[in-house]
Amino acid sequence: MTPFLKPDFIRPVAIGAAIFAALAFLPSLVDSYYMSLAISVVSFAVLATAWSMFSGPTRYISLATVVFFGIGAYTVAVLGEVMAFPLVLLCAGLAGTVVALLVGFSTLRLAGVYFVIFTFGLTELVRQVVSWYEVNVTREMGRYVFLDITQNDIYWQLLALFAVLLLTGFVLGRSRLGFALRIIGEDETVAKHCGIDVTRVKVALFVLSALFMTLTGAIIAPRWTYIDPVIAFNPMLSFQVVIMALLGGPRRLLGPLLGVIPLTLLFEVLTASFPNHFSILLGCVFMVIVYLLPGGVVGLYEKYRAPKKRTLSTDTETTRKSEEKTA
């Protein structure tokens, strides 16, 4: 029996399909405000999970999320009125893939703080390049997006994208590529001695992660009627995604979701109540999470669950030995 026909694979996939089918009916149950909030939750869920797909196993902290998100959004702004939307999504995905390949092969030999600095600088570089092009070539800054795509359509597209992402991550975790990534995350030197092409594996996962980020930006672009480089390439988005993933736990597939839901609601309140101090408050949230929950909610759960498991196994072993002596 192939791995994909085993009960431990079919059962979670069937449960997930049922949950997503139920979530598809949400637009008929809530008003426009809660629908907008749901779109924010699902979009951040895709971004945080895609970020964790690469950064979780490899432990590379990437701040380039908004680069690919912005590429997707700007592709829709440029091509949205001249091409069918599915073709626009295809073009956005291709553009994000090409950029991810260039970035991956040129930077994934870096590690630690050097990779973090490069990805942060890449965001500013791309934003400045797009701004220069708009000002000097098109002679105008920003573009209007007028597409016949409703809020419900955006929600359903993001929900479908999230379902595909979770299925991809689930399959990846059971594949040789996923096993290779876990070895790389533990020790790249050991991975190389095991015959793993470390650079190629990291680039493959980086490109896959970037593809989902790009498509998220493309799908959500019609939500805005106006897009400019400052909006599309706002570096704050990258930090929000990292915070959400770290709070939930980037080492597990559903871990980021545990950070996305509460922090999306918190950011909604902070943006509405303290719009001029949002960046400061975001920094405070970041420091609290890193200091108190370095492994995220999932890591905290596993930390306190492991001693109980050891205690139970010890008690079982002790009982077994006592019974053997008695016998």
Side-chain angles (χ1 to χ4, degrees):
M1 181 182 292
T2 63
F4 302 120
L5 295 178
K6 291 182 178 180
D8 62 342
F9 179 86
I10 295 175
R11 190 180 300 112
V13 171
I15 293 172
I19 292 173
F20 276 93
L23 289 174
F25 291 97
L26 185 64
S28 61
L29 302 175
V30 299
D31 58 23
S32 59
Y33 171 75
Y34 288 104
M35 198 66 247
S36 176
L37 190 60
I39 289 174
S40 297
V41 170
V42 179
S43 62
F44 275 119
V46 177
L47 292 174
T49 305
W51 183 88
S52 298
M53 182 182 289
F54 169 75
S55 295
T58 62
R59 304 187 184 186
Y60 277 57
I61 304 299
S62 171
L63 296 177
T65 300
V66 76
V67 172
F68 303 106
F69 179 89
I71 288 173
Y74 238 87
T75 302
V76 173
V78 174
L79 302 177
E81 296 184 4
V82 297
M83 298 176 64
F85 194 67
L87 292 178
V88 176
L89 292 179
L90 178 61
C91 292
L94 289 174
T97 299
V98 171
V99 173
L101 283 170
L102 293 175
V103 173
F105 278 114
S106 60
T107 65
L108 286 178
R109 290 179 175 84
L110 300 174
V113 68
Y114 301 104
F115 182 77
V116 178
I117 293 173
F118 180 88
T119 53
F120 182 72
L122 179 66
T123 301
E124 186 63 20
L125 173 64
V126 172
R127 186 171 70 86
Q128 293 296 337
V129 169
V130 174
S131 298
W132 177 89
Y133 180 84
E134 293 283 69
V135 171
N136 294 280
V137 178
T138 65
R139 301 295 181 182
E140 58 184 21
M141 178 63 76
R143 297 171 183 269
Y144 290 96
V145 181
F146 297 115
L147 298 177
D148 188 20
I149 296 177
T150 65
Q151 188 171 240
N152 292 351
D153 294 333
I154 294 173
Y155 171 76
W156 285 321
Q157 291 171 17
L158 287 173
L159 193 65
L161 183 65
F162 188 38
V164 173
L165 173 59
L166 290 180
L167 181 60
T168 302
F170 187 60
V171 173
L172 183 66
R174 295 163 170 261
S175 67
R176 290 184 178 181
L177 179 60
F179 180 67
L181 284 166
R182 289 191 290 274
I183 296 176
I184 292 172
E186 294 298 328
D187 194 320
E188 284 196 17
T189 304
V190 172
K192 291 177 182 177
H193 285 305
C194 291
I196 298 173
D197 190 335
V198 173
T199 300
R200 184 172 296 181
V201 170
K202 288 191 295 185
V203 169
L205 195 63
F206 185 72
V207 170
L208 184 62
S209 171
L211 175 61
F212 284 100
M213 295 175 181
T214 306
L215 292 176
T216 303
I219 290 172
I220 211 168
R223 191 183 187 190
W224 305 319
T225 55
Y226 175 81
I227 296 177
D228 63 23
V230 175
I231 295 173
F233 299 98
N234 184 357
M236 193 66 66
L237 178 68
S238 293
F239 288 101
Q240 288 177 282
V241 169
V242 172
I243 293 171
M244 290 174 175
L246 292 180
L247 174 60
R251 304 298 298 275
R252 294 290 182 268
L253 181 61
L254 294 177
L257 194 60
L258 299 177
V260 165
I261 296 174
L263 286 185
T264 301
L265 300 176
L266 176 62
F267 293 159
E268 186 77 13
V269 173
L270 294 180
T271 303
S273 304
F274 308 99
N276 297 325
H277 303 88
F278 178 74
S279 299
I280 298 174
L281 295 172
L282 181 66
C284 293
V285 172
F286 199 178
M287 289 189 293
V288 168
I289 290 172
V290 171
Y291 184 75
L292 297 179
L293 292 170
V297 175
V298 173
L300 185 66
Y301 170 75
E302 292 177 345
K303 176 182 177 181
Y304 287 99
R305 185 178 172 223
K308 292 182 180 179
K309 279 183 136 183
R310 285 197 295 269
T311 301
L312 288 173
S313 62
T314 302
D315 292 343
T316 303
E317 184 66 19
T318 302
T319 303
R320 187 182 63 81
K321 288 182 179 179
S322 299
E323 290 176 351
E324 288 177 353
K325 288 181 180 179
T326 303

